[in-house]
Amino acid sequence: MSAKNSRLPGFYKTSIPERRSALCEAVDIPLEELTDALSGGGIDPDAADKIVENVIGTYALPFGVALNFQINQADYIVPMVVEEPSVIAAATNAAKMIRAGGGFKATIDASIMASQIQVYDVKNIAIAQERIIAAKRVLLDHAAQSVAQLVSLGGGPRDLEVRVLAPDMIVVHVFTDCLDAMGANMVNTIAEAIGDEVASLAEGKLGLRILSNLCDRRLVRATCRVPADAVAAKNTSGEQTIDGIVNASRFAELDPYRAATHNKGIMNGVDPVVIATGNDWRAVEAAAHAFAARSGQYSPLAVWRKHKSPEGPVLEGFLEMPMSLGIIGGTLRVHPTARLALRLLNVDSAADLTMVAACAGLASNLAALRALATEGIQRGHMSLHARSVALNAGAQGPEVEQVAEKLANEKNTTLERAKEVLVEIRGRNGSEG
Ligand code: MEV
């Protein structure tokens, strides 16, 4: 499943109603369904009141789509909910470059989440470990009984391990395949269901029973290959751009201060997809950063290398990160816009959704590094800002680009100047016509 085609040239130049129609055509959704799901930010205050506490209203964010995504040979239109300008345009542009090299390749592990059961004041750690491992089958059976529905669908507890944290403290991890769910509720249920039994086997006191957000058995990987021609920037050759991006990657690999910003650029792509689809972005953030620090040095979640192929230099990107997303339960039950986001993506598994989010992360990272390694990011921001000022000044159709380009070149994006430029352009266009 995917979109018929995620290449919609000139999409950004069209009006909101035109974009909606084009999307409905690309993903086979009735226009009315799309419009309804997008009206009023998705949920009304009464629905919101049932989701969280002390509700006084709702808070809307822009909902856009990133285009050009091709992942494992299938096209995806990627829904993104985000407040930061340039993020969607950057992901769209980078996905186009990556498409030129054959698109993204992505792989993913099973949806394994760990329940943590902490036991402290343990008298004899070795005996505790031995008894828990000996009772593994029984414990996993009891765990399975607490999530019978998941088991009936083919998921459920798969394995268990004991970790020694201190001479008097152990933690038992129960690993559960959560299939298409994010899994937090089920994994917490398991921890609570077998906690007492674990503590009594260990002859210790029962401590916390909760999932771990460091879901490092639920990794997603995305890779891409971008030919030099596709990555070339204004005034910078393809090979120079590749060298600049590889140098930026090395900087992040050597320096945690840079790695934090590099990873922020990745999360610029990931989080908007996570939010659009009604998933828990705090969980995704927690996992990403804990994983990034796993070696003891905070490191980049994606790295870039230059490959010399017979056809010329190629830029290769590799991303690996943990991610726990669901396509059932949670916010999706109550949020029509989150459901619409999944409809736009046309994914039918949490695995596919997660691969899309990871590819959006890799695309965002590429866009940021390419800009930073060449002209810097401010010019791109200026162009986008100039375009919205041009629209505000009344520019229409091709005028928008003409006005925006002039404003960006002049580094003057005031509304007054936009209006003057528009008058000049109309005069010129009129005299030419
Ligand atoms: C801005 O939102 C993200 C960047 O700072 C990422 C990066 O520096 O790689 C541009």
Side-chain angles (χ1 to χ4, degrees):
M1 297 273 254
S2 53
K4 282 192 233 162
N5 182 6
S6 67
R7 289 269 308 117
L8 301 176
F11 187 79
Y12 69 94
K13 292 186 202 153
T14 57
S15 65
I16 291 178
E18 285 167 339
R19 286 180 205 150
R20 288 181 175 183
S21 302
L23 273 187
C24 289
E25 160 67 19
V27 288
D28 270 340
I29 298 183
L31 183 58
E32 201 182 306
E33 186 184 325
L34 180 120
T35 311
D36 282 355
L38 289 168
S39 62
I43 45 172
D44 58 33
D46 286 343
D49 201 23
K50 294 191 178 58
I51 305 177
V52 299
E53 308 73 39
N54 297 349
V55 167
I56 56 167
T58 58
Y59 181 121
L61 286 170
F63 182 132
V65 288
L67 303 175
N68 303 325
F69 276 74
Q70 192 177 56
I71 304 170
N72 297 340
Q73 306 298 328
D75 271 33
Y76 292 92
I77 287 173
V78 181
M80 296 180 94
V81 169
V82 66
E83 86 300 341
E84 184 175 332
S86 305
V87 164
I88 299 176
T92 299
N93 289 338
K96 191 169 165 198
M97 293 171 213
I98 291 168
R99 198 182 175 93
F104 300 86
K105 305 272 176 295
T107 59
I108 187 162
D109 298 339
S111 306
I112 301 289
M113 297 296 286
S115 314
Q116 289 200 294
I117 301 163
Q118 180 208 18
V119 187
Y120 62 102
D121 278 358
V122 177
K123 289 188 199 73
N124 186 323
I125 291 280
I127 292 178
Q129 261 180 300
E130 212 171 283
R131 293 181 66 180
I132 292 166
I133 294 302
K136 185 168 166 173
R137 252 324 0 122
V138 179
L139 288 169
L140 288 176
D141 278 353
H142 291 166
Q145 281 159 24
S146 71
V147 289
Q149 206 198 346
L150 176 66
V151 174
S152 74
L153 294 169
R158 297 284 189 250
D159 200 4
L160 169 158
E161 75 177 15
V162 184
R163 294 173 55 235
V164 176
L165 301 183
D168 63 333
M169 190 190 291
I170 58 165
V171 59
V172 172
H173 285 192
V174 182
F175 299 106
T176 299
D177 187 341
C178 299
L179 302 180
D180 284 326
M182 184 271 186
N185 277 333
M186 293 182 293
V187 170
N188 292 340
T189 299
I190 289 173
E192 295 197 357
I194 64 166
D196 285 323
E197 204 175 347
V198 168
S200 113
L201 283 165
E203 295 187 318
K205 294 197 178 112
L206 180 59
L208 305 189
R209 293 151 299 160
I210 186 76
L211 87 166
S212 170
N213 281 119
L214 177 49
C215 47
D216 57 2
R217 295 191 181 205
R218 196 173 183 174
L219 299 183
V220 57
R221 295 161 209 90
T223 63
C224 64
R225 305 183 88 238
V226 194
D229 285 356
V231 83
K234 206 175 184 183
N235 306 326
T236 316
S237 75
E239 181 150 21
Q240 280 171 324
T241 310
I242 292 178
D243 289 340
I245 292 171
V246 171
N247 176 54
S249 176
R250 190 161 168 248
F251 181 10
E253 289 163 53
L254 293 170
D255 179 17
Y257 286 90
R258 174 56 207 158
T261 325
H262 180 101
N263 287 346
K264 194 277 182 181
I266 292 172
M267 300 318 284
N268 270 351
V270 173
D271 284 337
V273 180
V274 176
I275 296 171
T277 55
N279 275 284
D280 181 345
W281 70 92
R282 286 90 53 215
V284 171
E285 286 280 343
H289 301 297
F291 185 75
R294 69 196 179 285
S295 71
Q297 165 159 328
Y298 186 91
S299 303
L301 294 165
V303 297
W304 297 88
R305 297 286 181 266
K306 176 161 122 177
H307 172 74
K308 289 209 169 90
S309 81
E311 292 78 45
V314 174
L315 176 69
E316 294 182 334
F318 307 89
L319 173 144
E320 183 178 49
M321 64 188 291
M323 212 187 297
S324 54
L325 301 184
I327 59 161
I328 50 169
T331 317
L332 282 165
R333 262 196 297 265
V334 285
H335 207 301
T337 326
R339 284 202 297 273
L340 173 75
L342 281 180
R343 283 272 272 141
L344 287 174
L345 267 172
N346 220 355
V347 291
D348 51 15
S349 69
D352 283 350
L353 168 62
T354 309
M355 289 192 281
V356 171
C359 292
L362 190 61
S364 298
N365 187 219
L366 170 59
L369 299 192
R370 177 174 174 270
L372 289 167
T374 56
E375 61 182 4
I377 57 164
Q378 292 305 59
R379 207 192 124 74
H381 283 175
M382 168 92 87
S383 310
L384 274 185
H385 178 57
R387 211 183 290 146
S388 77
V389 176
L391 279 166
N392 270 345
Q396 287 175 354
E399 291 171 351
V400 179
E401 285 308 304
Q402 292 167 0
V403 175
E405 198 180 322
K406 192 146 173 52
L407 296 184
N409 286 340
E410 290 177 0
K411 296 192 169 59
N412 178 353
T413 51
T414 59
L415 187 60
E416 293 69 41
R417 182 64 191 137
K419 286 180 177 160
E420 284 166 20
V421 173
L422 184 59
V423 171
E424 285 167 24
I425 283 174
R426 282 187 177 161
R428 213 170 46 230
N429 288 350
S431 61
E432 276 165 14

